Amino acid sequence: MKFKVLGSGAGIPSRTRNTQSFILDVVEEINQYFLIDASEALQHRILDTTIRPSKIRHVFITHLHGDHIFGLPGFLSSRAHQGGEGIPLVVHGPPGLEEWIEATFRTSGSHLNYPIQFNEVADGDSFDVEGFTVTIRLLDHAIDSFLYVFEEPDKPGALKSDKLRDIGISPGPVYKEIKSSETFRHEGIVYRTGDFLNPPSDGRKIAVHGDTRVVRDKAYLDLLDGSDLIVHEATYLHGEQEKAHLYYHSEINDVLLNLSQISYGQLLFSHISNRYDAEMVHLVGEQLSDDVRIGHDFLEITIPRGSR
């Protein structure tokens, strides 16, 4: 599993940062990509990667500000001609997203050659997406903005083949049958399959924020606790907590202090204001720990199992 940054900037693009778009790469797990937010020029950013649009089957939009959605109509249209014909797509997002897309396509005379479904999200929603549990939390922004928490199912432990051989069962198709059952019989004896399995490995948990002020309540922190990766905005990097709060955004040190109350594997800051030049970003980044970093366009983070 990997997390890929296609755009790491806030508000408007700069020469080094496009506005916010992410890819959660679960190709190894389910042969798909999840697209999170769709900034302007998204389809161009994808051309600079090996991502196949036809493998994007779900899009998750955090909120309806332009720097998070202006690339969506272009992406939907391009996907139709990049292997997406006939392959369904589900777009998850706030109320008003479907209306905006339909109006955009109607007035531009655009048509798709694949079915598209819209799933309107709300605070507290939890639903299954391709085996992942996705939980929704309303954040604190000027308009409704959401946190998406993706939780992978636990992976069953591997069979202890040495123990099976000890009772006289050689490797073969029967191993698959044993693993899929709660008990199995061999030479008249009934065995419990769990006694022949290694411990399961925990599924990974990835939390991706839309724009927000720092949220301090316990239920929110409990939802984030134990995440393998948290992606949080840091529109303000340099001690401007009051200004960040005024404009419904976050300041990096305030976020770090808030999240110090929970455990997590990695923390990625994105949505960086174009007021900061590369030198300022570098200076701030040098002060962060190894498991915390400031994102940049085309950054790729590997999320191993058991990373938290």
Side-chain angles (χ1 to χ4, degrees):
M1 182 184 295
K2 297 178 181 178
F3 191 84
K4 302 179 178 182
V5 179
L6 298 182
S8 59
I12 59 175
S14 69
R15 291 184 178 181
T16 57
R17 296 181 186 275
N18 200 40
T19 48
Q20 182 163 300
S21 291
F22 305 125
I23 287 284
L24 181 57
D25 180 343
V26 285
V27 169
E28 185 175 322
E29 291 74 21
I30 59 170
N31 199 32
Q32 291 189 34
Y33 299 103
F34 294 163
L35 171 64
I36 306 165
D37 281 340
S39 61
E40 187 178 358
L42 168 64
Q43 53 188 321
H44 295 279
R45 307 301 273 185
I46 289 176
L47 290 175
D48 289 322
T49 72
T50 59
I51 294 165
R52 293 171 56 186
S54 61
K55 285 191 175 182
I56 297 175
R57 310 289 172 82
H58 292 269
V59 177
F60 301 86
I61 299 298
T62 62
H63 65 295
L64 300 186
H65 277 155
D67 54 321
H68 297 256
I69 63 170
F70 282 169
L72 185 56
F75 165 75
L76 296 177
S77 297
S78 293
R79 183 181 184 271
H81 305 285
Q82 295 173 325
E85 182 175 0
I87 300 175
L89 181 74
V90 183
V91 179
H92 311 265
L97 179 60
E98 179 178 7
E99 178 184 4
W100 177 69
I101 288 294
E102 289 181 346
T104 300
F105 274 54
R106 183 175 60 253
T107 55
S108 63
S110 302
H111 303 280
L112 300 179
N113 57 12
Y114 57 86
I116 184 169
Q117 174 187 345
F118 288 88
N119 175 35
E120 189 174 287
V121 302
D123 186 32
D125 283 355
S126 184
F127 48 86
D128 177 87
V129 175
E130 311 291 350
F132 286 73
T133 299
V134 181
T135 303
I136 312 298
R137 161 76 195 223
L138 181 65
L139 296 170
D140 185 5
H141 194 46
I143 64 172
D144 282 358
S145 179
F146 293 98
L147 162 71
Y148 288 96
V149 179
F150 302 86
E151 294 185 76
E152 179 188 33
D154 293 345
K155 184 178 180 180
L159 280 171
K160 297 178 178 178
S161 56
D162 55 341
K163 288 192 67 173
L164 288 169
R165 284 195 292 265
D166 287 346
I167 64 171
I169 302 178
S170 299
V174 67
Y175 276 24
K176 183 177 181 180
E177 296 174 14
I178 290 172
K179 191 171 183 179
S180 64
S181 62
E182 293 185 3
T183 61
F184 63 94
R185 182 184 294 272
H186 178 65
E187 295 184 348
I189 302 174
V190 176
Y191 296 92
R192 194 174 73 89
T193 302
D195 294 335
F196 294 82
L197 291 174
N198 287 299
S201 57
D202 293 337
R204 287 156 287 191
K205 182 177 179 180
I206 298 89
V208 184
H209 291 73
D211 292 3
T212 185
R213 290 168 168 167
V214 173
V215 179
R216 306 183 195 279
D217 69 72
K218 184 177 184 301
Y220 160 79
L221 291 171
D222 286 347
L223 179 58
L224 291 184
D225 195 23
S227 294
D228 294 271
L229 173 66
I230 297 174
V231 183
H232 199 291
E233 72 134 282
T235 308
Y236 293 85
L237 291 178
H238 192 59
E240 297 179 281
Q241 287 94 337
E242 291 185 8
K243 193 170 185 180
H245 188 80
L246 178 64
Y247 289 104
Y248 290 90
H249 286 292
S250 297
E251 189 272 340
I252 191 168
N253 293 299
D254 204 12
V255 178
L256 286 168
L257 179 61
N258 193 44
L259 297 185
S260 67
Q261 304 173 68
I262 63 171
S263 64
Y264 56 84
Q266 300 181 73
L267 173 59
L268 173 66
F269 285 110
S270 191
H271 204 265
I272 309 302
S273 172
N274 66 357
R275 78 185 66 197
Y276 302 114
D277 59 22
E279 182 179 358
M280 169 62 78
V281 174
H282 178 71
L283 288 173
V284 174
E286 280 192 326
Q287 302 171 43
L288 302 176
S289 61
D290 291 341
D291 56 2
V292 179
R293 70 184 85 183
I294 298 175
H296 57 79
D297 289 17
F298 300 114
L299 172 67
E300 183 175 294
I301 296 175
T302 298
I303 311 168
R305 287 186 179 272
S307 59
R308 62 182 186 273

